[in-house]
Amino acid sequence: MRFPPVLCLAALALGAAARAGSIVGTVTARGPAGAEAAAGGGAYESHRYRLAERVDYDHLADFVVYVDQAVNDPALPPPAEVTVTQRNVSFEPHVLPIVVGTTVRWPNKDTIFHNVFSMSDAKPFDLGMYTKDKEKVPELKFDQLGRVDVYCSIHSQMHCIILVLPSAFFARSDAHNHYAIRGLPAGTYWVKAWQERMPARRIAVRVPAAGEVRQDFTLGLNDLPKY
């Protein structure tokens, strides 16, 4: 019996879902040795620390956890177009993880001029100066892996990061530092946890054909080599 193509595709998708697993967990940051004692013991009030920024490592946000390798999965849709908005003299969102090949739009929602540019090796560009009245919203395809730091040349506080990743299997942490990467074909993958202020961490994770595997990450400056 021959089945219609739509039914065949649906069956393939259901079969792929039945063979897919998930990686879940939490990702947190740990400050350098002595930082907690300095903050808790009042050392930040001393002359040695009076100009130091108090970094609250327990409340860092914008963690990204992703599969750090290409994943061949015919069920995945092509990269979707996404948006970074210029609003209130800032970029929204501040961190945007995307799969390589994704096109990003850059609308200006403020009534003042902005400029969007990057000097990053992965994607150097300059979209020029424009306001919200620009007829066509600038857009850009990110076709190289890596971190792309983006700025506005006339507003120094404007900065965002485009994290161009090798596959669509990634997740941002939620308000409680939880993450979940779902729909992965069974196998062993390199999984990396990233945050812009912290050293990244990369771990091999074996994903089951069904169900979840838990992998927690703690990113810490103490893991850096000492000189």
Side-chain angles (χ1 to χ4, degrees):
M1 179 183 297
R2 297 176 62 87
F3 293 98
V6 172
L7 293 179
C8 292
L9 289 174
L12 286 172
L14 288 172
R19 298 191 301 274
S22 302
I23 306 173
V24 301
T26 61
V27 54
T28 55
R30 181 179 63 242
E36 296 85 355
Y44 271 105
E45 306 304 324
S46 71
H47 177 76
R48 291 185 303 163
Y49 287 96
R50 67 185 180 87
L51 297 179
E53 176 189 358
R54 301 191 191 195
V55 179
D56 188 352
Y57 290 95
D58 291 333
H59 293 89
L60 288 183
D62 289 324
F63 293 97
V64 178
V65 183
Y66 61 94
V67 174
D68 193 22
Q69 63 192 74
V71 180
N72 294 321
D73 187 345
L76 287 177
E81 189 177 83
V82 295
T83 297
V84 175
T85 302
Q86 301 158 78
R87 181 184 288 116
N88 298 325
V89 197
S90 65
F91 290 113
E92 301 174 359
H94 173 63
V95 172
L96 178 66
I98 59 173
V99 62
V100 63
T102 298
T103 296
V104 179
R105 302 177 73 249
W106 300 87
N108 181 356
K109 298 297 185 181
D110 287 337
T111 58
I112 58 177
F113 275 99
H114 288 308
N115 160 251
V116 183
F117 80 97
S118 176
M119 301 175 290
S120 302
D121 290 340
K123 192 69 175 180
F125 65 90
D126 184 356
L127 300 182
M129 304 270 288
Y130 58 97
T131 68
K132 65 185 300 182
D133 298 323
K134 188 175 180 66
E135 183 175 346
K136 180 175 173 55
V137 173
E139 57 184 40
L140 201 63
K141 184 176 182 178
F142 288 79
D143 47 12
Q144 297 291 329
L145 299 176
R147 168 177 171 163
V148 181
D149 287 89
V150 183
Y151 304 92
C152 172
S153 65
I154 57 176
H155 299 104
S156 60
Q157 72 270 36
M158 292 182 66
H159 169 230
C160 72
I161 300 169
I162 307 297
L163 204 59
V164 188
L165 306 176
S167 84
F169 292 104
F170 60 81
R172 296 183 60 172
S173 61
D174 64 17
H176 303 287
N177 290 341
H178 296 143
Y179 78 91
I181 303 174
R182 304 196 183 279
L184 268 166
T188 300
Y189 301 93
W190 284 110
V191 180
K192 181 177 283 189
W194 175 96
Q195 207 277 343
E196 63 178 301
R197 290 189 63 106
M198 307 299 293
R201 191 173 183 197
R202 191 169 182 254
I203 296 176
V205 179
R206 183 171 182 81
V207 177
E212 297 178 346
V213 59
R214 184 176 184 88
Q215 179 61 61
D216 297 329
F217 290 88
T218 300
L219 309 184
L221 296 177
N222 295 331
D223 298 330
L224 291 174
K226 300 294 189 290
Y227 292 98

